[in-house]
Every structure is written in C-alpha cells, then in structure tokens.
C-alpha cells in the first residue's frame, strides 16, 4: 500500500516526465518560441561580421521566414546554397519599419530534418552591424516575424521561385518545366 508521501513523489515524477521543458528553445513566452544563437555556424560565414541567428520553431515549414519576406518585399536579391543544399536568401536595402527610413539586409534560412525544424533570420544594418545580437533592438525585429510564421503562404509565385532555386528536380516535378 502506498503512503501519501510516496504517492506525491510518484505524481511529481509523472508530471516532470510529461512536462519536460525543451532546453533548445531559449524563449517561449506568449506565442513566442524561438532561440537566439549568437554562435551560429552559419552566422560566422557572413563576410561583414559574425551575425546572430534567431530560429523560429512554431512555423509551417523551413521556408516560413523566406515566404514572409517574399510577401512583403518581393523576390530576394541573392540566393546561395549552404553546404550545397540548404538555401539562404538575401534581401538588401529593405525598410523594415514604417516609423524609420533605416534600411537593413535580411538573410533567411531554414532547416527541416528529423533533428531540426526551424526557420531563421539574420539582420544587419547598412554598416554591417549585427542587429539581433543587441538585446535593445532584438525584440523589435523578432516582432516583425513572430506570430506570422505558422500560416503557410498562399503565394504560388513564391513557391515556384523557391523550388526553382532550392531544388530544381522538385521544381520540375511540381511545375513540369
């Protein structure tokens, strides 16, 4: 027969097992689920500086940040393949805030594997300074994306452009070209 003390310990163990926190998510408040990665491997590859990566986890797909940028600013200015397979998209000289004429360069990236599932951003000002590394600016930039990445874009032109660049074989399967 279990004592009340032992029952409480068992209940505590069961609750802890079911409600384990995901240590990979640095922030999870309100609708936010993102991680700030100041030491991102990808962030160290930028020519101008080491950039901080913000990874969003409550997304519809790895291309979520790219889709949002496409809807707001049109087709990217540059696209590259990281490790010859992961697309990195760049928008330069974009005005992100209505209240300011300052322009930024925004990089979008995403990962969709068994172990990783996120869509991310890197942002630098026109002087090449990391805008996500400084906490005083970070929230304002994150607010531009947060809560807008869980609904898939319905822009057919975006998907066509995305697949044409990122996976030409898949593009041919989807569009027959």
């Amino acid at each position: 027969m279990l004592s009340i003390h032992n029952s409480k310990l068992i209940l505590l163990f069961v609750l802890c097992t079911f409600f384990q926190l995901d240590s990979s998510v640095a922030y999870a408040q309100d609708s936010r689920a993102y991680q700030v990665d100041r030491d991102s491997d990808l962030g160290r590859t930028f020519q101008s500086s080491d950039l901080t990566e913000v990874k969003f986890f409550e997304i519809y797909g790895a291309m979520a940040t790219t889709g949002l940028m496409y809807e707001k600013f049109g087709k990217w200015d540059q696209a590259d393949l990281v490790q010859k397979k992961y697309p990195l998209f760049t928008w330069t000289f974009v005005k992100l805030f209505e209240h300011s004429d300052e322009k930024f360069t925004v990089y979008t990236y995403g990962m969709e594997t068994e172990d990783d599932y996120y869509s991310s951003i890197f942002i630098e000002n026109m002087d090449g300074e990391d805008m996500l590394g400084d906490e005083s600016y970070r929230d304002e930039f994150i607010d531009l994306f947060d809560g807008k990445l869980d609904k898939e874009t319905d822009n057919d032109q975006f998907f066509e452009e995305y697949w044409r660049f990122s996976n030409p074989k898949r593009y041919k399967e989807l569009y027959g070209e």
Side-chain angles (χ1 to χ4, degrees):
M1 185 164 181
L2 289 174
S3 70
I4 293 176
H5 177 70
N6 287 342
S7 297
K8 287 180 183 179
L9 285 176
I10 291 171
L11 180 59
L12 179 62
F13 174 76
V14 170
L15 289 174
C16 288
T17 302
F18 286 127
F19 296 106
Q20 288 181 10
L21 294 176
D22 182 353
S23 61
S24 68
V25 179
Y27 300 92
Q29 58 188 29
D30 303 325
S31 66
R32 295 180 172 193
Y34 61 89
Q35 176 182 357
V36 176
D37 189 350
R38 289 188 180 98
D39 194 31
S40 164
D41 289 336
L42 184 57
R44 289 192 299 269
T45 65
F46 293 99
Q47 291 179 351
S48 58
S49 64
D50 290 346
L51 295 180
T52 300
E53 180 176 20
V54 173
K55 298 174 181 178
F56 295 93
F57 296 101
E58 292 178 0
I59 56 170
Y60 69 83
M63 66 187 90
T65 54
T66 305
L68 184 60
M69 286 295 294
Y70 188 95
E71 288 179 3
K72 291 186 82 156
F73 300 103
K75 188 177 175 186
W76 45 86
D77 298 314
Q78 183 177 339
D80 299 291
L81 289 176
V82 176
Q83 299 174 357
K84 298 182 181 180
K85 59 182 171 181
Y86 301 111
L88 172 72
F89 298 95
T90 307
W91 283 262
T92 53
F93 306 111
V94 292
K95 183 181 168 208
L96 294 174
F97 302 107
E98 304 245 347
H99 62 79
S100 171
D101 289 330
E102 187 172 7
K103 295 185 178 178
F104 303 91
T105 297
V106 178
Y107 305 91
T108 63
Y109 179 75
M111 181 64 67
E112 199 165 330
T113 67
E114 281 186 33
D115 299 325
D116 289 311
Y117 185 70
Y118 64 86
S119 190
S120 66
I121 57 171
F122 302 83
I123 300 174
E124 62 185 351
N125 66 13
M126 293 296 91
D127 295 325
E129 296 170 332
D130 181 11
M131 301 309 295
L132 298 173
D134 185 337
E135 289 183 38
S136 60
Y137 299 111
R138 185 183 308 135
D139 282 346
E140 191 171 11
F141 288 104
I142 289 172
D143 287 345
L144 292 172
F145 293 86
D146 186 45
K148 300 174 186 98
L149 302 173
D150 58 349
K151 186 179 94 178
E152 186 171 3
T153 181
D154 59 0
N155 188 324
D156 292 333
Q157 186 65 36
F158 163 70
F159 285 109
E160 187 172 339
E161 294 288 344
Y162 178 88
W163 289 116
R164 182 185 319 228
F165 171 75
S166 66
N167 189 335
K169 183 179 177 183
R170 180 75 175 133
Y171 171 79
K172 285 181 182 181
E173 290 172 3
L174 292 170
Y175 300 98
E177 294 182 25

